[in-house]
């Protein structure tokens, strides 16, 4: 924290000195954002507080992954890279409560909450928009903590060929290839990405609860070796200036390779992990003569997860007669399906300009979830249906002098789930602006039903001891009330935003430790004293998160600097059935203080060479957990350089190079206990991008401001 305070003081001094200087062109307040309301606004006039990671910030930072980008450029996030997913947390709430969108569509991954963010190609991102708090009026389930909208690059060239190759320490490879074609009214963009790392081991010490002395030569890695690749296609047909149709498809494969140690109880791994994802979607966008917009999307997604056995293993499975066995034999080279999750979703939405400065958004959603888990669900499969209707009105008023203005955005969503019935979730946002000052306030309710895994799953996890995880069919749906108040002030190149929030979650679902007697009898009989712990999904009585987020940014000509700071406090109450009392606990993974700072400088030396320099730091205090220890506080610093070489009308060359974790910090907490960060220590990286483009844009292009009525266009542009 001492280093963070020094940086804050230094940046405040810099702002005082340079506050009246001329700002650099293309400042982020000119960004058009869509996530907060589902319609387009300039960032400075968005009625819902929105945090933007711009294309300029992404290019300067040169992140290797979405986790790297969000953790390094936004203070309210925390990650621990793991085999099952990103283990992301946002303002105190985990993956289950964060809705991740790609171009406004839901990212599909594990319905247990561990989304695989490697599905997103970091080299094909235009910008990232972040809206915190329950956004259920627009987005429904999963948005209690907030929404992250990944907006990809748009490609309109007649011919585009691009290649980005990145190589770093630990054989870290990131490959991106793109092919764009535009012929008349047709456009196609084909994207390939590959990501690989050999993984790393920060410590060989293994925590063993059954022994007073830990082992010191474990082969378990902090992050395991892994490889994934994805092929994606996006095809559009501009039928007329008013109508556009599209079709998308992706195919994704991932393998995680685990080392085999010599201690059967602790670090011997007899299977690797395999993932198979696929998706297909079709839809269209119709813009009326009044500039109203109607969109229709139909999406199908699949996420399958397998154990790929590397040696003979006795595991849960079914024999030839369909009989379930706890000790079913698998042999090297065989695979066993652990879960196959499919989601089909229909979304119809319209945005209509109305008299008296109103803009109405209305929509219909229908969603079907299917889960097949032969070894973890009684009956092997489960499914769920959810439907929703929503409506939102945007109203703004400003006097003829335009000296000040008010915007109100009320919304209402009607949810229906086959197992939990109907639920209304209202939302209200307001903004008052005068001069360079913006004041925003929001209140929204959230509603989230339990996932199919939370209600149905049961599985064994063997680490230092055998832990059983149980679903719970008696879970209640979760609800929330989110309140926020923020102030934003802009003076020249200086922008300061302070946001306070309070999020109260009722019936929050979490894993809690229950008596061993709660395990099914066959498991207690099979594992006996080896069964060390039973954890079950349960509703907490209540939970709350509250905090303050501060963002300070300054831009002057070719120089930018800033800091983000997040203060967080959480608590929850869960009923302890063993002692018949309420117990107060923290929400797993919370840290009271997180922050990041940055300073960048860009300079054009000649038409053939542009240099960029960036220094970045991210910090966190101790992360708290209910079991298995707390994660250490840390700070990590990064130096990045960018070099644009020999730019021409058709060909661009770009070289990036840098040092991540300059001071070589790594967390050597023994395996089996929680880490503050999984960073491997100091690493080096270099990236080369070559981009060839030819031809003009297509005959018809989308009107990017089609959601505005003419008066709003004049006001905001």
């Amino acid at each position: 924290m001492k280093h963070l305070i020094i940086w804050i003081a230094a940046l405040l001094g810099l702002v005082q000195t340079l506050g009246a200087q001329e700002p650099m062109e293309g400042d982020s307040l000119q960004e058009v954002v869509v996530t907060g309301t589902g319609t387009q606004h300039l960032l400075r006039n968005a009625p819902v507080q929105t945090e933007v990671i711009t294309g300029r910030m992404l290019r300067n930072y040169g992140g290797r992954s979405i986790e790297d980008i969000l953790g390094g450029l936004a203070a309210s996030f925390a990650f621990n890279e793991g085999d099952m997913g990103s283990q992301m947390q946002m303002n105190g709430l985990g993956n289950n409560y964060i809705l991740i969108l790609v171009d406004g569509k839901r990212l599909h991954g594990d319905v247990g909450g561990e989304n695989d963010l490697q599905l997103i190609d970091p080299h094909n991102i235009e910008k990232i928009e972040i809206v915190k708090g329950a956004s259920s009026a627009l987005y429904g389930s999963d948005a209690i903590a907030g929404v992250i909208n990944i907006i990809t690059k748009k490609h309109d060239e007649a011919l585009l060929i691009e290649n980005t190759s990145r190589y770093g320490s630990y054989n870290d490879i990131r490959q991106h290839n793109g092919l764009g074609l535009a012929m008349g009214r047709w456009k196609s963009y084909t994207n390939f990405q590959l990501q690989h790392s050999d993984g790393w081991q920060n410590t060989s010490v293994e925590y063993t609860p059954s022994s007073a002395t830990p082992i010191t030569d474990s082969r378990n890695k902090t992050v395991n070796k892994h490889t994934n690749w994805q092929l994606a296609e996006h095809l559009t047909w501009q039928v007329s200036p008013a109508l556009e149709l599209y079709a998308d498809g992706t195919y994704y494969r991932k393998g995680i390779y685990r080392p085999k140690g010599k201690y059967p109880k602790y670090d011997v791994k007899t299977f690797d992990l395999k993932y198979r994802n696929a998706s297909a979607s079709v839809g269209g966008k119709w813009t009326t003569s009044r500039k109203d917009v109607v969109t229709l999307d139909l999406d199908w997604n699949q996420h399958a997860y397998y154990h790929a056995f590397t040696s003979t293993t006795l595991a849960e499975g079914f024999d030839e007669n369909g009989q379930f066995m706890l000790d079913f034999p698998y042999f090297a080279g065989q695979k066993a399906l652990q879960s196959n999750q499919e989601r089909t979703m229909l979304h119809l939405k319209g945005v209509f300009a109305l008299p008296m400065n109103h803009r109405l958004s209305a929509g219909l959603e229908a969603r079907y979830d299917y889960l097949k888990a032969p070894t973890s669900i009684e009956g092997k499969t489960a499914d769920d249906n959810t439907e929703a209707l929503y409506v939102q009105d945007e109203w703004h008023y400003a006097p003829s002098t335009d000296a000040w203005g008010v915007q109100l955005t009320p919304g209402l969503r009607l949810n229906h789930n086959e197992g939990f019935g109907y639920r209304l979730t209202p939302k209200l946002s307001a903004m008052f602006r005068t001069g360079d000052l913006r004041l925003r306030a929001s209140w929204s309710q959230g509603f989230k039903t339990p996932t199919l895994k939370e209600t149905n799953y049961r599985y064994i996890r063997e680490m230092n001891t055998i832990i059983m995880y149980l679903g719970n069919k008696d879970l209640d749906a979760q609800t929330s009330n989110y309140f926020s108040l923020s102030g934003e002030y802009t003076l020249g190149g200086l922008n300061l935003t302070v946001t306070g929030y309070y999020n109260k979650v009722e019936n929050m679902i979490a894993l809690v430790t229950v008596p061993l007697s709660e395990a099914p009898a066959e498991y207690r009989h099979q594992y006996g004293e080896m069964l060390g712990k039973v954890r079950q999904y349960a509703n907490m009585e209540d939970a709350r998160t509250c905090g303050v987020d501060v963002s300070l940014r300054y831009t002057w000509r070719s120089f930018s600097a800033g800091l983000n700071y997040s203060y967080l406090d959480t608590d929850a109450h869960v009923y302890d059935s063993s002692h018949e009392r309420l117990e107060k606990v923290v929400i797993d993974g919370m840290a009271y203080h997180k922050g990041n700072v940055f300073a960048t400088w860009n300079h054009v030396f000649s038409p053939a060479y542009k240099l960029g320099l960036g220094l970045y730091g991210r910090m966190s205090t101790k992360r708290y957990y209910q079991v298995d220890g707390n994660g250490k506080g840390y700070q990590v610093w990064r130096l990045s350089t960018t070099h644009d070489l020999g730019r021409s009308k058709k060909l661009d060359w770009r070289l990036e190079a840098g040092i991540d974790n300059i001071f070589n910090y790594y967390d050597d907490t023994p395996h089996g206990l929680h880490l503050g960060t999984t960073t491997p220590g100091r690493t080096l990286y270099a990236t080369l991008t070559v981009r060839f483009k030819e031809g003009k844009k297509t005959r018809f292009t989308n009107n990017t401001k089609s959601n505005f009525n003419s008066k709003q266009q004049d006001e905001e542009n």
Side-chain angles (χ1 to χ4, degrees):
M1 282 303 297
K2 179 175 73 173
H3 294 280
L4 178 59
I5 293 170
I6 292 172
W7 268 91
I8 292 173
L11 285 168
L12 288 174
L14 177 67
V15 165
Q16 248 185 344
T17 303
L18 301 176
Q21 300 293 332
E22 178 185 357
M24 180 171 63
E25 291 183 5
D27 105 46
S28 63
L29 296 179
Q30 303 299 322
E31 291 280 341
V32 175
V33 296
V34 298
T35 307
T37 62
T39 55
Q40 295 177 340
H41 293 271
L42 291 181
L43 177 59
R44 69 170 183 262
N45 289 333
V48 177
Q49 181 67 43
T50 304
E51 183 177 353
V52 177
I53 298 176
T54 66
R56 181 189 299 274
M57 296 166 67
L58 292 169
R59 290 189 295 273
N60 286 335
Y61 187 70
R64 64 188 285 270
S65 64
I66 299 299
E67 294 94 330
D68 184 19
I69 292 167
L70 291 175
L73 297 176
S76 51
F77 291 97
F79 297 91
N80 268 351
E81 189 175 351
D83 289 346
M84 302 304 294
S86 63
Q87 300 180 26
M88 175 171 56
Q89 191 181 76
M90 176 179 178
N91 281 356
L93 296 176
N95 293 66
N96 257 351
Y97 303 95
I98 305 168
L99 177 60
I100 303 172
L101 308 175
V102 179
D103 292 327
K105 297 179 183 177
R106 291 169 178 260
L107 179 73
H108 179 66
D110 179 22
V111 296
E114 294 294 343
N115 280 313
D116 184 358
L117 296 183
Q118 292 180 349
L119 286 161
I120 303 168
D121 184 352
H123 295 111
N124 195 37
I125 300 175
E126 180 63 33
K127 62 179 177 180
I128 301 173
E129 298 179 6
I130 302 163
V131 176
K132 298 169 184 176
S135 298
S136 291
L138 277 180
Y139 299 110
S141 184
D142 308 329
I144 284 179
V147 178
I148 304 169
N149 191 8
I150 312 291
I151 298 174
T152 61
K153 296 177 181 177
K154 303 302 180 284
H155 308 281
D156 292 323
E157 295 84 357
L159 174 63
L160 171 67
I161 302 173
E162 54 184 2
N163 175 86
T164 299
S165 300
R166 173 182 172 129
Y167 185 80
S169 304
Y170 299 98
N171 204 24
D172 187 79
I173 300 170
R174 309 280 156 156
Q175 179 66 35
H176 160 82
N177 294 96
L179 173 63
L181 298 171
M183 297 171 288
R185 302 184 183 190
W186 291 88
K187 285 193 302 182
S188 167
Y189 183 72
T190 306
N191 182 77
F192 172 80
Q193 67 150 329
L194 180 143
Q195 303 179 21
H196 170 84
S197 172
D198 284 347
W200 55 86
Q201 185 188 55
N202 288 347
T203 180
S204 60
V205 179
E206 184 91 19
Y207 169 70
T208 57
S210 59
S211 173
T213 304
I215 63 174
T216 58
D217 56 350
S218 169
R219 292 193 62 199
N220 276 332
K221 288 190 172 184
T222 306
V223 172
N224 284 318
K225 178 180 178 180
H226 55 273
T227 302
N228 64 273
W229 61 267
Q230 182 181 58
L231 183 65
E233 170 65 25
H234 178 69
L235 185 66
T236 61
W237 178 32
Q238 196 77 44
V239 182
S240 70
L243 178 62
E244 179 185 272
L245 302 178
Y246 79 89
D248 286 338
T250 67
Y251 184 68
Y252 172 87
R253 296 170 70 101
K254 180 178 181 179
I256 297 176
Y257 309 97
R258 310 191 302 171
K260 184 176 180 180
K262 63 180 182 179
Y263 298 97
K265 193 174 180 181
Y266 304 115
D267 66 346
V268 169
K269 304 296 188 295
T270 60
F271 57 86
D272 295 328
L273 311 178
K274 301 289 184 182
Y275 297 85
R276 303 289 185 266
N277 283 46
S279 71
S281 60
V282 294
K285 177 180 178 180
W286 175 48
T287 304
T288 72
S289 59
R290 297 177 59 250
K291 301 302 181 184
D292 299 328
V293 177
V294 178
T295 58
L296 177 65
D297 300 289
L298 177 63
D299 303 296
W300 171 83
N301 293 268
Q302 179 189 49
H303 174 81
Y305 160 53
Y306 298 84
H307 286 173
F309 293 93
T310 55
S311 60
T312 302
T313 304
L314 296 177
E316 300 174 10
F318 292 86
D319 62 18
E320 295 178 353
N321 300 318
Q323 182 68 34
F324 181 75
M325 300 172 60
L326 286 173
D327 281 335
F328 185 81
Y330 290 96
F331 303 97
Q334 289 186 311
K335 288 193 306 183
L337 175 66
Q338 300 303 299
S339 68
N340 177 37
Q341 304 169 46
E342 298 183 21
R343 186 195 67 205
T344 304
M345 190 166 183
L346 176 71
H347 186 194
L348 175 65
K349 177 184 175 182
V351 180
F352 309 97
L354 301 179
M356 306 295 291
N357 298 325
H358 289 269
R359 180 165 47 176
L360 183 70
S361 299
L364 164 69
E365 289 183 2
R367 173 175 170 174
Y368 173 72
D369 286 294
Y370 169 83
L371 171 62
K372 180 180 180 180
T375 62
S376 303
I377 291 181
E378 187 176 355
K380 301 185 183 181
T381 66
D383 58 10
D384 192 26
N385 287 290
T386 302
E387 301 83 31
L389 292 168
Y390 66 86
V391 63
Q392 173 187 270
D393 180 39
E394 298 175 65
W395 174 79
H396 77 276
Y397 172 78
S400 57
T401 60
D402 201 31
W404 56 275
V406 175
Q407 290 179 254
L408 295 177
T409 309
L412 186 66
R413 185 182 184 95
L414 175 63
N415 304 276
H416 174 258
N417 179 270
E418 63 175 335
F420 295 89
Y422 291 90
R423 175 78 184 199
L424 278 171
T425 54
K427 173 184 176 181
L428 177 63
S429 297
M431 185 186 76
F432 172 77
R433 63 174 177 84
T434 176
D436 295 317
L437 178 66
R438 303 289 188 270
L439 298 176
R440 297 179 176 90
S442 290
W443 165 69
S444 56
Q445 288 190 344
F447 175 71
K448 178 173 171 55
T449 59
T451 68
L452 292 173
K453 280 193 172 183
E454 289 169 342
T455 54
N456 293 279
Y457 239 44
R458 66 179 187 185
Y459 64 97
I460 289 290
R461 185 180 182 187
E462 297 186 43
M463 292 184 67
N464 303 316
T465 185
I466 294 178
I467 304 175
M468 181 165 197
Y469 294 85
L470 295 175
N472 186 347
K473 291 184 178 295
D474 295 325
L475 291 172
D476 294 323
Q478 303 159 97
T479 60
S480 71
N481 275 280
Y482 176 83
F483 304 87
S484 71
L485 180 64
S486 71
E488 178 182 357
Y489 183 69
T490 305
L491 176 63
L494 170 68
N495 178 260
L496 173 65
T497 303
V498 180
T499 304
Y501 64 90
Y502 178 87
N503 203 355
K504 180 70 175 293
V505 184
E506 300 288 348
N507 295 321
M508 181 178 179
I509 295 174
L511 279 168
V512 300
T513 301
V514 298
L516 296 178
S517 58
E518 298 292 328
E522 63 268 27
Y523 285 86
R524 297 199 308 272
H525 174 74
Q526 173 70 26
Y527 294 107
E529 294 182 357
M530 295 175 61
L531 183 60
K533 190 179 299 182
V534 177
R535 306 207 79 198
Q536 184 175 41
Y537 290 104
N539 289 112
M540 294 186 175
E541 296 296 320
D542 60 65
R544 64 132 180 102
T545 69
C546 62
V548 177
D549 291 337
V550 179
S551 173
L552 176 64
R553 297 186 180 183
Y554 181 77
T555 302
W556 178 64
R557 297 182 181 174
S558 298
F559 174 77
S560 294
L563 65 86
N564 298 289
Y565 167 74
S566 179
Y567 169 77
L568 171 69
D569 188 24
T570 74
D571 63 42
H573 292 88
V574 61
Y575 183 71
D576 181 355
S577 58
S578 299
H579 301 90
E580 297 185 347
R581 67 186 182 193
L582 281 177
E583 182 181 359
K584 184 176 179 179
V585 298
V586 300
I587 297 177
D588 277 350
M590 71 146 282
Y592 284 111
H593 307 279
K594 294 191 295 292
N596 56 58
V597 296
F598 73 90
T600 64
W601 177 73
N602 293 273
H603 184 72
V604 179
F605 286 91
S606 72
Y609 182 60
K610 177 182 177 182
L611 172 67
L613 299 174
L615 179 65
Y616 301 86
R618 55 187 174 94
M619 308 88 173
S620 175
T621 56
K622 181 190 297 184
R623 299 184 67 187
Y624 293 89
Y625 294 87
Q626 297 176 41
V627 297
D628 297 331
N630 298 317
K632 296 177 181 178
Y634 64 89
Q635 58 173 299
V636 176
W637 293 88
R638 173 195 190 103
L639 176 66
S640 67
T641 69
T642 62
H643 312 264
D644 290 293
L645 309 168
R647 297 174 65 90
S648 67
K649 291 183 178 180
K650 291 187 177 182
L651 192 62
D652 297 337
W653 296 77
R654 181 181 177 89
L655 176 66
E656 302 171 4
I659 306 172
D660 200 6
N661 199 348
I662 299 171
F663 302 109
N664 198 34
Y665 173 80
Y666 60 92
D667 191 340
D668 59 358
T669 300
H671 298 294
L673 301 176
H674 289 294
L675 303 175
T677 176
T678 58
T679 177
R682 185 184 301 114
T683 58
L684 306 176
Y685 71 89
T687 304
L688 176 65
T689 298
V690 182
R691 193 169 187 262
F692 175 82
K693 55 186 177 180
E694 186 174 39
K696 298 180 180 180
K697 293 184 178 180
T698 55
R699 179 180 175 185
F700 295 115
T701 58
N702 291 331
N703 182 354
T704 57
K705 297 178 178 61
S706 60
N707 289 348
F708 289 93
N709 64 33
S710 58
K711 185 171 182 179
Q712 287 167 320
Q713 281 183 307
D714 292 338
E715 176 195 357
E716 298 197 346
N717 288 315

